[in-house]
Amino acid sequence: MFAGNMHKAQLYSSANALQTRDAAAALSLYRDAMSWPDECDVLDVGCGSGDVTSQLLLPALKSYSSLTGVDVSQQMVKYAMSKYQQPNVTFRYLDIVAPDFRPRDLFPRGFHKVFSFYCLHWISDQKLAFSNLSELLLPGGELLVVFLASAPLFTIYERLAKDSTWSRYMKDVSKFVSPYQHVANPEDELKSHLLDSGLQVKDCKCILQHFSYPSAVALKSNYIIQ
Ligand SMILES: C[S@@+](CC[C@H](N)C(=O)[O-])C[C@H]1O[C@@H](n2cnc3c(N)ncnc32)[C@H](O)[C@@H]1O
């Protein structure tokens, strides 16, 4: 059995500087280019511990009527609810690619904005993910997603999975490697998923980023394999 620490809400919350930095950068780059109707229902997919949802996304919204964070981890949702639930801000369980998920049955009103930070690289069925995200959007709605196309971390996972000491613990390694890790032009592939799901693409960029961890402990907390 191989699992990242994405279900350990408190630990994640103390070690998410990389994710926070990149969500903040994307919000400051795109927020002003987005339209902000007075009534604005907002969804954050893969909200995790809720820190980014409540401390970055919420203050960045130029208008909102409701903000809903959803996550496939019950532990994350429970943590986010206990720490950040407030009037018009809610958290709930959702697997965005669950076979029985019918987006508009669960959210009949739909959303004016859908955000997702550092979540979609966990999802192998990208077509289904984007088709569900697209269905959740109201006409004229906007989607902003940030996730890893490829990363040295995924190479480490793949190497460990081939190592005789570790391979037996990592049989499900493919679930933890971005579906774009070995794709030559991730932007083109992502664009085609977006277009196929009926969305218009205003901008789609694959950016080379570096990140320095302040200590080996900080690195381990972010990437620990249990
Ligand atoms: C690295 S965390 C990011 C959390 C938060 N958005 C942030 O930027 O700090 C990724 C989150 O995506 C969630 N996730 C993974 N697959 C998902 C799915 N199919 N549906 C909903 N959430 C999912 C995980 O449970 C995890 O909490």
Side-chain angles (χ1 to χ4, degrees):
M1 176 73 189
F2 168 80
N5 79 6
M6 64 179 176
H7 300 294
K8 294 199 163 182
Q10 181 111 45
L11 181 60
Y12 178 78
S13 173
S14 67
N16 61 1
L18 164 68
Q19 291 87 336
T20 304
R21 177 199 71 175
D22 291 345
L27 284 167
S28 74
L29 194 61
Y30 293 107
R31 183 183 78 140
D32 291 345
M34 297 175 96
S35 63
W36 294 99
D38 290 343
E39 191 192 346
C40 192
D41 293 313
V42 180
L43 180 68
D44 182 17
V45 175
C47 62
S49 54
D51 303 291
V52 166
T53 317
S54 300
Q55 297 188 318
L56 267 178
L57 178 58
L58 181 58
L61 300 174
K62 288 188 161 184
S63 68
Y64 85 102
S65 330
S66 73
L67 171 58
T68 306
V70 292
D71 201 282
V72 73
S73 158
Q74 298 275 16
Q75 273 194 44
M76 287 289 197
V77 173
K78 213 166 136 199
Y79 180 90
M81 281 169 75
S82 70
K83 215 168 160 197
Y84 296 117
Q85 189 130 296
Q86 54 173 287
N88 302 326
V89 178
T90 52
F91 297 91
R92 60 190 290 182
Y93 171 84
L94 174 69
D95 177 355
I96 193 73
V97 286
D100 57 350
F101 173 47
R102 305 279 168 274
R104 286 308 187 93
D105 287 355
L106 194 63
F107 296 110
R109 282 159 50 103
F111 294 92
H112 301 85
K113 301 275 170 277
V114 175
F115 295 87
S116 181
F117 301 107
Y118 267 80
C119 166
L120 295 176
H121 51 264
W122 294 118
I123 296 180
S124 53
D125 193 342
Q126 293 281 298
K127 267 187 193 306
L128 182 58
F130 284 107
S131 132
N132 285 342
L133 294 174
S134 169
E135 264 192 61
L136 287 167
L137 277 176
L138 290 162
E142 289 172 310
L143 171 73
L144 175 61
V145 300
V146 176
F147 61 92
L148 291 170
S150 58
L153 169 71
F154 302 136
T155 309
I156 295 170
Y157 288 171
E158 287 177 328
R159 285 192 191 155
L160 285 174
K162 285 185 192 146
D163 182 289
S164 56
T165 310
W166 301 105
S167 57
R168 76 190 111 145
Y169 304 109
M170 303 184 70
K171 296 202 186 307
D172 55 354
V173 68
S174 62
K175 282 204 241 161
F176 297 90
V177 173
S178 169
Y180 300 88
Q181 174 80 356
H182 301 291
V183 170
N185 290 304
E187 284 157 346
D188 291 348
E189 184 154 323
L190 175 56
K191 264 188 219 161
S192 80
H193 289 313
L194 293 165
L195 294 170
D196 288 350
S197 67
L199 295 164
Q200 287 171 14
V201 182
K202 285 194 185 160
D203 200 4
C204 176
K205 279 195 196 114
C206 184
I207 301 167
L208 179 64
Q209 293 273 59
H210 300 275
F211 188 78
S212 300
Y213 290 88
S215 66
V217 173
L219 187 149
K220 276 195 198 162
S221 305
N222 203 186
Y223 290 131
I224 195 167
I225 298 169
Q226 318 150 31

